[in-house]
Amino acid sequence: MFFSKKIRFFIIAQGFLKTICEQKKVIGLDYKIITDEFGLILELCSEKEEIIKEFIFSLPEDLMFFHSFSIDLSISDMVSEALKKNRTKLVVVESCTGGLISKIITDKPGSSVYFWGGFTTYNNKAKECLGVPASVIKKYGAVSKETVINMAEKGLEKSGADISVSVSGIAGPGGGSGNKPLGSVWIAVKKDIAKTFLFLFSGSRIEVREKAAQTALLIICKELNKQGLDSTIFEHYI
């Protein structure tokens, strides 16, 4: 008799997930990585169920931030379910994603139940119009922890929504620097307290924007389901 378990991973690179599995070399465990429209599925098989459980438990905590055991759901499905379940209304404040998060959410019919709307604050003046202090942007830059916190807080304040997410980054092809390389994206989520996350995404301008938007939605979902990490930095995997 064989036991099997499937885990959905979003945004993670297939090569990285394969490397993790190969490095562990668990005796008595077989794995297969499947790609589909939503991301990756890691299928684990073993004659002993405890071997599968031990392997899952041993995976890096920050890697598991990008997982779900609901393999048939997209990120937009997951976040809509979480928002409806918690009777929570969302507002988004976007810079580098330019409204992409709002588009993904409103692609689903009935999203007005849980989506207040969004602010696209693409340049610094737009951020200032929202209420982000010019002094914060000047001191820390538009792509910074301090700026996304202010964006999330002001979005929540002006909308009256229950939870907010904000995104500011460098999608490319230019604009990167030594301290803030191409693909750097700060994301903040604010409900009771503000949490911030720094990502270094790989890929083209389109890919960085798509990864940033999907990650922002995943952060909301994890936060509402009380699976979120504290503020942290992700420098690998993606």
Side-chain angles (χ1 to χ4, degrees):
M1 179 179 179
F2 274 86
F3 295 91
S4 67
K5 185 73 174 180
K6 292 181 179 179
I7 311 171
R8 162 77 64 192
F9 285 95
F10 299 101
I11 305 156
I12 300 300
Q14 183 176 358
F16 177 81
L17 185 57
K18 183 178 180 181
T19 299
I20 286 284
C21 294
E22 290 179 348
Q23 285 177 343
K24 291 188 174 294
K25 296 180 180 177
V26 178
I27 297 174
L29 179 70
D30 293 321
Y31 77 91
K32 180 168 61 174
I33 299 174
I34 305 163
T35 61
D36 65 10
E37 60 181 321
F38 299 148
L40 304 175
I41 296 174
L42 175 63
E43 184 175 1
L44 303 168
C45 297
S46 177
E47 291 182 347
K48 297 181 179 179
E49 189 174 16
E50 57 267 28
I51 289 179
I52 296 175
K53 291 179 179 178
E54 288 174 7
F55 177 85
I56 295 172
F57 185 76
S58 72
L59 292 172
E61 183 181 15
D62 47 358
L63 172 66
M64 295 306 284
F65 181 84
F66 296 95
H67 94 287
S68 171
F69 291 117
S70 301
I71 64 169
D72 297 323
L73 296 179
S74 67
I75 292 178
S76 59
D77 291 330
M78 290 168 55
V79 76
S80 66
E81 285 193 1
L83 288 164
K84 286 188 287 187
K85 178 182 176 182
N86 289 274
R87 297 183 179 179
T88 301
K89 184 132 323 194
L90 168 69
V91 61
V92 302
V93 185
E94 305 184 60
S95 184
C96 65
T97 47
L100 183 56
I101 301 173
S102 295
K103 178 192 179 301
I104 292 172
I105 294 171
T106 56
D107 279 345
K108 295 187 70 65
S111 54
S112 60
V113 172
Y114 50 83
F115 185 52
W116 180 89
F119 300 93
T120 303
T121 57
Y122 199 71
N123 67 18
N124 291 346
K125 286 297 182 183
K127 294 177 180 65
E128 292 171 24
C129 286
L130 180 66
V132 179
S135 58
V136 169
I137 299 174
K138 183 177 180 180
K139 183 175 181 179
Y140 300 104
V143 181
S144 66
K145 173 181 178 178
E146 292 77 12
T147 295
V148 291
I149 287 175
N150 272 273
M151 289 166 65
E153 289 177 342
K154 294 303 180 183
L156 207 58
E157 176 186 313
K158 291 186 179 296
S159 67
D162 304 302
I163 187 171
S164 66
V165 68
S166 61
V167 180
S168 186
I170 305 168
S177 65
N179 293 331
K180 298 177 182 179
L182 184 65
S184 300
V185 177
W186 277 99
I187 300 177
V189 61
K190 175 71 185 290
K191 193 171 185 288
D192 301 317
I193 61 172
K195 296 181 180 181
T196 58
F197 306 85
L198 173 60
F199 298 87
L200 182 56
F201 294 118
S202 62
S204 66
R205 176 180 175 82
I206 292 174
E207 290 170 328
V208 169
R209 283 159 52 93
E210 288 178 344
K211 289 176 181 179
Q214 290 184 50
T215 302
L217 292 172
L218 186 58
I219 287 171
I220 297 162
C221 184
K222 296 282 187 176
E223 188 68 19
L224 290 173
N225 291 332
K226 304 188 186 304
Q227 300 171 331
L229 294 176
D230 291 332
S231 301
T232 190
I233 296 173
F234 294 93
E235 296 181 303
H236 309 290
Y237 316 142
I238 44 182

